[in-house]
Amino acid sequence: MSEKKKLSLTSRIVIGMVAGIILGTIIRYVAGDNAWVSLYLTNGLFDVVGQIFITSLKMLVVPLVFVSLVVGTCSLSDPSKLGRLGGKAVGMYMVTTAIAITFAIGSAILVQPGSGIERASDASFEPSEAPSVSEVIVNLFPDNPINAMAEGNMLQIIVFALLFGISMALVGKPGERLKGFFDDLNSVIMKLVVILMNLAPYGVFALMAKLFTEIGVEMIGSLAKYFLLVLFVLLAHGLIVYPLFMRVLARVKPGIFMRKMRDAQLFGFSTASSNATMPITLETVTRRLGVSNSVGSFTVPLGATINMDGTAIMQGVATVFIAQVYGLDLGVAEYLMVIMTATLASVGTAGVPGVGLIMLAMVLQQVGLPVEGIGLIIGVDRLLDMTRTAVNVTGDAMVSCVVARSEGDFDEDVYYDNDAGKKLEEL
Ligand code: ASP
């Protein structure tokens, strides 16, 4: 008997996503006020399944980052390579973010998304306190690594894992013995990632079904110009700028990169969190794109924490938009300030849903724009958050490939092999 051809994981996730969007939209317009539907479906089944899905992804992040980074670092032949790697990755992350935000500001100045918009009198937003640059730097170092793990403080976990891995490499025999243990642990955690990936279609379905009972296209309303402009710049950055980097700096055919990144992008889109998507990004980068584990295990968590090009794009457009709505003029110096602040701000912020708006408060304050302006765009932010997270995740993977290529840690055979990593993805 011929076996039925199994749909690819990507297709199954897309089906789950589309079905969820359709069902959520139907519920919103047909059964929005039905108490039974709201109690048992929207806030019952969909909510429970969606929450469990996101929570299980997050559950993997801390053990995965720590273990894979220790494995990656302790097998580095030359620990000084780490400094070079770190420098390159941070440099690339900053440069791509600065490019993204410059592109966004330029487009917004051209399109003028804020012209003709009435300032809503009820716009309100309470900014939270942003940390200073020196605090951000000191906070890289954990005083208690267990605490850092308990809090999910990614940068502190990265620093501890690097120091731990380097010591393992330097100590000789005990380090080698421990490496076997960490290798095994890494395989087990990766298996767990694969199991979760295979459950993703259901999780994504539930997340979308719940979300789309809450948001509808009519919410975009007068913000259509702003919304579409952010979307356009996000897509252009993801579909033109990244492939260009892949072609020029990683020196590979970019179409393959975009195809292999689809799963991670779908995860990013449906969870709106680069952090929660990190296990999938890491799996894609190391097993499917050909980046060595020692580079990927370092650059991916670092990127998920400090690299947010999509977020910077939203911030660029939003700053110009808010200035226009409030009738305030920004000069070149202020725009440069926006580029600098947004680029630096992204370093100190975690990849969780909605965090881009908090960072925007910092940027607005820096150039003297009213922070309440954020209240104007909050209503359409969720959909943009989802899209920009997909861009953020793609940026992390792109930089990982470029850095790996420059270090000679990039396996082209894996990159060009369509089936690379597929076997491991099967349960
Ligand atoms: N949700 C985004 C992320 O996790 C951050 C943001 O822009 O709010 O990458």
Side-chain angles (χ1 to χ4, degrees), residues 53-64 189 192 196 279:
F53 174 59
I54 297 232
T55 309
S56 335
L57 279 173
K58 288 199 206 143
M59 163 186 90
L60 292 181
V61 170
V62 170
L64 179 65
I189 297 176
L192 213 51
L196 262 185

Side-chain angles (χ1 to χ4, degrees), residues 374-385:
I374 294 178
L376 292 170
I377 51 173
I378 228 168
V380 293
D381 197 61
R382 179 64 195 200
L383 273 180
L384 294 178
D385 192 5

Side-chain angles (χ1 to χ4, degrees), residues 373-411:
I374 294 178
L376 292 170
I377 51 173
I378 228 168
V380 293
D381 197 61
R382 179 64 195 200
L383 273 180
L384 294 178
D385 192 5
M386 294 159 73
T387 318
R388 68 181 180 250
T389 307
V391 173
N392 290 345
V393 168
T394 313
D396 301 340
M398 182 278 287
V399 170
S400 302
C401 291
V402 170
V403 171
R405 170 61 109 187
S406 75
E407 287 289 320
D409 274 320
F410 184 77
D411 189 338

Side-chain angles (χ1 to χ4, degrees), residues 272-275 304 308 311 314 350-357 385 388-389 392:
S273 167
S274 324
N275 253 351
M308 289 173 196
T311 305
M314 177 279 286
V352 289
V355 88
L357 281 188
D385 192 5
R388 68 181 180 250
T389 307
N392 290 345

